Coordinates of all heavy atoms in Angstrom, one line a residue:
T229 N 64.0 65.6 90.1 CA 64.8 66.9 90.1 C 63.9 68.0 89.8 O 62.8 67.8 89.3 CB 66.0 66.7 89.0 OG1 65.4 66.6 87.7 CG2 66.8 65.4 89.2
L230 N 64.4 69.1 89.9 CA 63.7 70.3 89.5 C 63.3 70.2 88.0 O 62.2 70.6 87.6 CB 64.5 71.6 89.9 CG 63.9 73.0 89.6 CD1 62.5 73.0 90.3 CD2 64.8 74.1 89.9
E231 N 64.3 69.9 87.3 CA 64.1 69.7 85.8 C 62.9 68.7 85.4 O 62.0 69.0 84.7 CB 65.4 69.3 85.0 CG 65.2 69.3 83.6 CD 66.5 68.9 82.8 OE1 67.2 68.0 83.4 OE2 66.7 69.3 81.7
E232 N 62.9 67.6 86.1 CA 61.9 66.5 85.9 C 60.5 67.1 86.3 O 59.6 66.8 85.6 CB 62.2 65.3 86.6 CG 63.4 64.5 86.1 CD 63.9 63.4 87.0 OE1 63.7 63.5 88.3 OE2 64.5 62.4 86.5
A233 N 60.5 67.8 87.4 CA 59.2 68.3 87.9 C 58.7 69.3 87.0 O 57.5 69.4 86.7 CB 59.4 68.9 89.4
F234 N 59.5 70.2 86.4 CA 59.1 71.2 85.5 C 58.6 70.6 84.3 O 57.5 71.0 83.8 CB 60.4 72.1 85.1 CG 60.0 73.1 84.1 CD1 59.3 74.3 84.3 CD2 60.4 72.9 82.7 CE1 59.0 75.2 83.3 CE2 60.1 73.8 81.7 CZ 59.4 75.0 82.1
F235 N 59.3 69.7 83.7 CA 58.8 69.0 82.5 C 57.5 68.2 82.7 O 56.6 68.2 81.9 CB 59.8 68.0 81.9 CG 60.9 68.8 81.2 CD1 62.2 68.6 81.5 CD2 60.6 69.7 80.2 CE1 63.2 69.3 80.8 CE2 61.6 70.4 79.4 CZ 63.0 70.2 79.8
D236 N 57.4 67.6 83.9 CA 56.1 67.0 84.2 C 55.0 67.9 84.3 O 53.8 67.7 83.9 CB 56.2 66.3 85.6 CG 56.9 64.9 85.4 OD1 57.1 64.4 84.2 OD2 57.3 64.3 86.5
L237 N 55.2 69.1 84.8 CA 54.1 70.1 85.0 C 53.9 70.8 83.7 O 52.6 71.3 83.5 CB 54.5 71.1 86.0 CG 54.6 70.7 87.5 CD1 55.2 71.8 88.4 CD2 53.2 70.4 88.0
T238 N 54.8 71.0 82.7 CA 54.5 71.6 81.5 C 54.5 70.8 80.2 O 54.4 71.4 79.2 CB 55.7 72.7 81.3 OG1 57.0 72.0 81.3 CG2 55.6 73.7 82.6
R239 N 54.4 69.5 80.4 CA 54.4 68.6 79.3 C 53.3 68.9 78.2 O 53.4 68.8 77.0 CB 54.5 67.2 79.6 CG 53.1 66.5 79.7 CD 53.2 65.0 79.9 NE 54.2 64.8 81.0 CZ 54.0 64.1 82.1 NH1 52.8 63.4 82.1 NH2 54.8 63.9 83.1
D240 N 52.2 69.4 78.7 CA 51.0 69.6 77.8 C 50.9 71.1 77.4 O 49.9 71.4 76.7 CB 49.7 69.1 78.5 CG 49.8 67.5 78.7 OD1 50.3 66.9 77.8 OD2 49.2 67.1 79.6
E241 N 51.8 71.9 77.8 CA 51.7 73.4 77.6 C 52.5 73.7 76.4 O 53.7 73.4 76.4 CB 52.1 74.1 78.8 CG 51.2 73.8 80.1 CD 49.9 74.2 80.0 OE1 49.5 75.3 79.4 OE2 49.0 73.5 80.5
T242 N 51.8 74.4 75.4 CA 52.6 74.9 74.3 C 52.1 76.3 73.9 O 51.0 76.5 74.0 CB 52.5 73.9 73.1 OG1 51.1 73.8 72.8 CG2 53.1 72.6 73.2
D243 N 53.0 77.1 73.5 CA 52.6 78.4 73.0 C 52.4 78.4 71.5 O 51.6 79.0 70.9 CB 53.7 79.4 73.2 CG 53.8 79.7 74.7 OD1 52.8 79.7 75.4 OD2 54.8 80.1 75.2
Y244 N 53.2 77.5 70.8 CA 53.1 77.3 69.3 C 53.2 75.8 68.9 O 53.7 75.1 69.5 CB 54.3 78.1 68.7 CG 54.5 79.5 69.1 CD1 55.4 79.9 70.1 CD2 53.7 80.4 68.5 CE1 55.5 81.2 70.5 CE2 53.8 81.9 68.8 CZ 54.8 82.1 69.9 OH 54.8 83.5 70.2
H245 N 52.4 75.6 67.9 CA 52.5 74.3 67.3 C 53.1 74.3 65.9 O 53.1 75.3 65.2 CB 51.0 73.8 67.1 CG 50.3 73.6 68.4 ND1 50.4 72.6 69.2 CD2 49.4 74.5 69.1 CE1 49.7 72.7 70.4 NE2 49.0 73.9 70.2
A246 N 53.7 73.3 65.5 CA 54.4 73.3 64.3 C 53.5 73.5 63.1 O 54.0 74.2 62.1 CB 55.0 71.8 64.1
A247 N 52.3 73.2 63.0 CA 51.4 73.6 62.0 C 51.2 74.9 61.8 O 51.1 75.6 60.8 CB 50.1 72.7 62.1
Q248 N 51.1 75.7 63.0 CA 50.9 77.1 63.0 C 52.1 77.8 62.4 O 52.0 78.8 61.6 CB 50.8 77.7 64.3 CG 49.4 77.2 65.0 CD 49.3 77.6 66.4 OE1 50.4 77.8 67.2 NE2 48.2 77.9 67.0
L249 N 53.3 77.3 62.8 CA 54.5 78.0 62.3 C 54.7 77.7 60.7 O 55.2 78.4 59.9 CB 55.8 77.5 63.1 CG 55.7 77.9 64.5 CD1 56.9 77.3 65.2 CD2 55.6 79.5 64.6
A250 N 54.5 76.4 60.3 CA 54.6 76.0 59.0 C 53.8 76.8 57.9 O 54.2 77.2 56.9 CB 54.4 74.5 58.8
G251 N 52.6 77.2 58.4 CA 51.7 77.9 57.5 C 51.8 79.4 57.6 O 51.2 80.2 56.9
S252 N 52.6 79.9 58.4 CA 52.9 81.3 58.7 C 53.6 81.9 57.6 O 54.7 81.3 57.1 CB 53.6 81.5 60.0 OG 53.9 82.9 60.1
S253 N 53.3 83.0 57.2 CA 54.0 83.9 56.1 C 54.7 85.1 56.7 O 55.3 85.8 56.0 CB 53.2 84.2 55.0 OG 52.1 85.1 55.5

């Protein structure tokens, strides 16, 4: 499906990581 294709293409792409947000003030 279009959704499956999108998630396959973007699975390794992130703008933010949890560690970055947790340490943010």
